């Protein structure tokens, strides 16, 4: 434990009763010592040489002397392989039915005694000693998995394993869930164990709340995603390659995945970033669409303290003419921090308060933690004890309920990997709806148990249902937050069937987008924290979770006026736009930082509201295509090496490029542009890409550029949707997609397709329909960029 971790430990430890936390640590270690004995001597194993094959639909089984490998290419060209009998299911990541194998695929002999699976868009080659290569149809190698290695206890038990891989020398790595050091992942080791970082974190902190064994690899040869479907504790070590100078040899990039147990199985998706995102959504589930109000500005604080303070804050927004869509109540509104309760003294009529605020266009959102106070007579505690034959709460190997320490004191933990428990827990959200809440955010669900040192979680020997299979916390830990999100989402959908649930979660795993989004967690206040905020949103988007955002202003400390404003300006262009702060970090309302910040924040809020139809469109398209709202600038041009290295800007959909200010005192910054013409939306000046340009970034705004030809839906002065069209270059055409707000229910969304082109000396906008092309009249259309279009 280094000094920083020690400080974080004491930060948390000082907020709970120390003796209880120490007893929890002692119980955890005693339980693990009894139920998880030392592994003892181990025997190493490798596959050996090929001894036979068995063709199957989509591929086949390649048998080796000491293992076997199943390879299957699905109808959507996703590649699956599993060692030692590992199959696609059971899996917490894969949604619905197992993808169908592509029956057109051929298993045939390869060179030097190996075999290959040949599909239309990908070839998988298996060497005679167990190496696996993913190749393009033209034979270019995208990824080479070296023969894996297992270590099995001599006395019996599960194996741990390592899988080393090589990628092209020019490749860059992205993904792995929420990584503050991204979006391009630097060389180093990344742990796969969802963790509370013990207080506020910065770019150097790893791991964080959401870890996923999901790698994006972007190289000249092509782009691919690799997903190791194993929920156990592990590490991914990355090292970028190096191209040889002159006649020198290339040094490939290296990835090493080490898992402490579980199946060795992998999915690989290849193609353009858009194709990969679509395939990932098909495999792991389409992202949930937040209700349209959740795409507006939201405000939170740990420590509102009372209904009076809530009314004061909302009135402050209204009196200053600032838009506000939602206000979030943290744990301080609970009675003694007990989940699904209300402090009646400070919030005597919470349903009345919620109705009053909703009449002003402001929704209430509630925090929900998984830990249940272990108190006889407590409604949730007693109700959970009656669920099923063994109760709802996680037990240890001896059958005793596991206890930890969280905000309410000594707590127990629901086992969300049990369908009965998910159904029971989902029903508890009726209380939140009765209190007038319109949505929830899940916190502390890694899950957390406070300790002064070591992992702040449950004993690794704790027993879980795991959908009836049974297992321990080593397998269940990383999917605990995912299973809790499922319980909450499905419960809200049952209780309020006419409205889409609004839920976002601090922890989760691959596939969590099915149930909502996430946020940065307790990002440290400071310029490094601001940069980490962007890295987290980009990384989560690549891992299939498009709806996310940071704590604007940082969670701890007191931001300067400049830092707060720059964070606010970034947040206004991210999917989840929420200010939030710790109980001792002061107020974060825009007017608390002086009149200049207030006016500039007002401009950011108004622009966010003007672009609400565009965010609605992006949310719907994310569900249809899997494409995140916020994308790395290489999204449409992964072959551009300079764009791969750009981590200080992002694309918002296809139309806009946002270049936030991430350092103190910057009023002019460089922006790396993809190919094409781009307009500064503030000045109308045109820039030609690809290339690096200098643009103004005064304190009043951050640089935003629009792609020439883009058609963007915006909110007009009368509240109706208008089309903002950026003039295409002469002789070229552009376009865009529009999905109008169909309400907060489950209505089917209609996609409108528009094309922009020059006709004479005017820009013409046309809607493309099944019946043909229809010209769009000048009303409701605003053409911009005409001065820079020549």
């Amino acid at each position: 434990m280094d000094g920083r971790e020690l400080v974080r430990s004491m930060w948390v430890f000082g907020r709970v009763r120390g003796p209880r936390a120490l007893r929890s640590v002692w119980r955890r270690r005693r339980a693990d010592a009894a139920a998880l004995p030392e592994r003892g001597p181990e025997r190493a194993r490798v596959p050996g040489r090929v001894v036979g094959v068995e063709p199957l639909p989509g591929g086949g089984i390649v048998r080796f002397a000491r293992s076997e490998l199943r390879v299957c290419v699905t109808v959507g060209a996703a590649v699956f392989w599993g060692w030692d009998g590992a199959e696609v299911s059971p899996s917490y990541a894969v949604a619905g039915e197992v993808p169908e194998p592509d029956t057109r695929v051929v298993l045939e002999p390869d060179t030097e005694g190996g075999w290959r699976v040949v599909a239309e868009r990908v070839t998988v080659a298996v060497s005679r000693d167990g190496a696996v290569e993913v190749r393009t149809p033209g034979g270019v190698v995208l990824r080479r998995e070296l023969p894996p290695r297992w270590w099995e206890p001599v006395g019996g038990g599960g194996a741990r394993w390592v899988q080393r891989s090589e990628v092209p020398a020019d490749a860059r790595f992205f993904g792995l869930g929420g990584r503050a050091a991204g979006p391009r992942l630097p060389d180093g080791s990344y742990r796969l164990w969802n963790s509370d970082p013990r207080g506020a974190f910065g770019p150097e902190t790893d791991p964080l709340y959401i870890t996923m064994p999901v790698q994006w690899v972007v190289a000249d040869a092509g782009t691919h995603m690799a997903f190791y479907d194993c929920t156990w504790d592990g590490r991914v070590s990355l090292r970028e390659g190096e191209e040889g100078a002159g006649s020198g040899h290339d040094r490939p990039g290296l990835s090493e995945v080490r898992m402490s147990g579980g199946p060795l199985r992998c999915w690989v998706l290849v193609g353009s970033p858009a194709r990969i995102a679509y395939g990932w959504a098909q495999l792991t589930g389409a992202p949930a669409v937040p209700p349209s109000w959740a795409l507006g500005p939201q405000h939170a604080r740990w420590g509102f303290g009372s209904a009076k303070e809530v009314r004061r804050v909302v009135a402050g927004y209204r009196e200053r003419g600032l838009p506000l869509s939602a206000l979030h109540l943290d744990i301080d509104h609970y009675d003694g921090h007990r989940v699904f309760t209300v402090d009646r003294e400070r919030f005597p009529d919470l349903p009345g308060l919620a109705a009053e605020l909703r009449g002003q266009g402001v929704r209430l959102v509630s925090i929900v933690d998984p830990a249940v106070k272990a108190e006889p007579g407590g409604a949730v505690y007693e109700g959970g004890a009656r669920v099923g034959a063994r109760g709802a709460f996680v037990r240890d190997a001896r059958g005793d309920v596991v206890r930890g320490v969280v905000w309410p004191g000594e707590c127990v933990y629901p086992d969300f990997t049990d369908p009965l428990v998910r159904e029971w827990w989902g029903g508890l959200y009726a209380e939140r709806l009765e209190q007038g809440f319109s949505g929830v955010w899940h916190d502390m669900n890694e899950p957390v148990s406070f300790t002064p040192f070591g992992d702040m979680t449950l004993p690794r020997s704790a027993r879980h249902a795991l959908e009836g299979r049974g297992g321990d916390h080593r397998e269940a830990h990383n999917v605990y937050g995912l299973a809790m999100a499922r319980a909450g989402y499905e419960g809200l959908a049952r209780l309020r069937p006419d409205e889409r649930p609004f839920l976002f979660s601090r922890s989760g795993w691959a596939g969590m987008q099915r149930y909502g989004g996430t946020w940065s967690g307790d990002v440290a206040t400071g310029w490094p924290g601001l940069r980490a905020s962007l890295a987290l949103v980009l990384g989560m988007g690549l891992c299939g979770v498009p709806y996310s955002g940071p704590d604007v202003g940082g969670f701890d400390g007191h931001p300067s006026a400049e830092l707060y404003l720059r964070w606010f300006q970034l947040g206004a262009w991210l999917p989840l736009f929420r200010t939030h702060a710790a109980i001792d970090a002061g107020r974060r309302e825009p007017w608390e930082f002086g009149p200049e910040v207030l006016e500039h924040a007002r401009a950011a809020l108004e622009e966010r509201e003007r672009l609400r139809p565009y965010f609605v469109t992006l949310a719907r398209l994310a569900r249809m295509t899997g494409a995140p709202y916020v994308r790395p600038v290489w999204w449409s041009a992964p072959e551009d090496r300079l764009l791969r290295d750009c981590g200080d800007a992002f694309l918002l959909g296809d139309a806009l490029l946002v270049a936030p200010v991430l350092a103190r005192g910057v009023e002019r910054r460089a922006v790396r542009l993809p190919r094409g013409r781009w307009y500064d939306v503030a000045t109308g000046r045109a820039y030609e890409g690809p290339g690096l340009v200098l643009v103004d970034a005064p304190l009043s705004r951050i640089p935003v550029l629009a792609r020439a030809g883009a058609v963007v839906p915006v909110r007009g002065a009368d509240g109706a949707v208008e089309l903002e069209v950026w003039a295409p270059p002469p002789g070229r055409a552009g376009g865009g997609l529009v999905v109008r707000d169909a309400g907060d229910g489950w209505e089917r969304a209609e996609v409108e397709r528009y094309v922009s082109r020059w006709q004479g000396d005017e820009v013409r906008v046309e809607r493309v329909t099944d019946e043909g092309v229809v010209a769009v009249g000048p009303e409701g259309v605003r053409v911009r960029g005409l001065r820079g279009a020549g």
Side-chain angles (χ1 to χ4, degrees), residues 21 60 66 111 362 385 419 458 492 523 546 588 626 642 665 675 705 766:
R66 290 178 291 277
T111 58
V362 179
L458 305 186
L492 289 169
V523 61
R588 293 290 170 81
L642 295 175
R675 184 178 301 278
L705 297 103
E766 300 168 332

Side-chain angles (χ1 to χ4, degrees), residues 5 31 53 106 117 134 164 170 290 298 313 340 350 375 403 421 430 444 458 462 478 528 570 622 646 693 725 736 769:
E5 186 176 355
V53 298
V106 177
V117 176
V134 179
R164 296 184 176 93
D170 64 287
Q298 304 178 52
V313 171
F340 302 121
L350 191 51
E375 56 176 350
R403 299 194 174 204
V421 176
M444 310 294 287
L458 305 186
N478 281 336
L570 168 63
C646 177
V693 298
V725 182
T769 69

